[in-house]
Amino acid sequence: AIVALVHDILVMLSMYIIFRIPFNMNFIAAALTIFGYSINATIVVFDRVRENKKSVQFSKAPFSEVVDKSIWQTMGRTINTTLTTLFTIGMVFILGVPSLKQFTLPLIVGILAGGWSSVLLSCSLWNVFRKKFRKKRI
């Protein structure tokens, strides 16, 4: 989850650098907004993995299968949340004043990256780290 958060902030930071947007209070507000959306989506997926792992249907299934099923179960929610937010922020970008555009453009990119990383990157990394660093039972 932390790697996914760092990814999201680095993507947003790169937008500030590429478009030469000045770092000010808008940067802090955009970073905190992206943190909130990303952490929320990551927690939803991780909680679904936890619930599915405890269920009878997946009690004997490999962890990678549980992660895959959990991602697909939360995909609709994540897409709906991301598109709803992007529509609203997109309208603010199109109709807003230039000072708001300095806030909304990196926010649009950050929310897209956050939706992607929360669902796909964080769970895949969890699966990889679990395989690599899990202690063997005797």
Side-chain angles (χ1 to χ4, degrees), residues 4-5 24 26 28 36 42 44 57 63 65 80 91 99 112 138:
L5 283 174
N24 51 21
N26 290 335
I28 295 170
T42 303
V44 167
Q57 180 183 4
F63 188 72
E65 186 179 321
N80 287 338
M91 288 298 111
S99 63
L112 283 172
I138 299 175

Side-chain angles (χ1 to χ4, degrees), residues 3-5 21 27 39 46 59 72 81 92 95 104-105 109 128:
V3 173
L5 283 174
I21 300 171
F27 173 77
I39 254 319
F46 283 5
S59 62
W72 281 108
T81 303
V92 172
L95 302 172
T104 55
L105 179 63
V109 173
V128 169

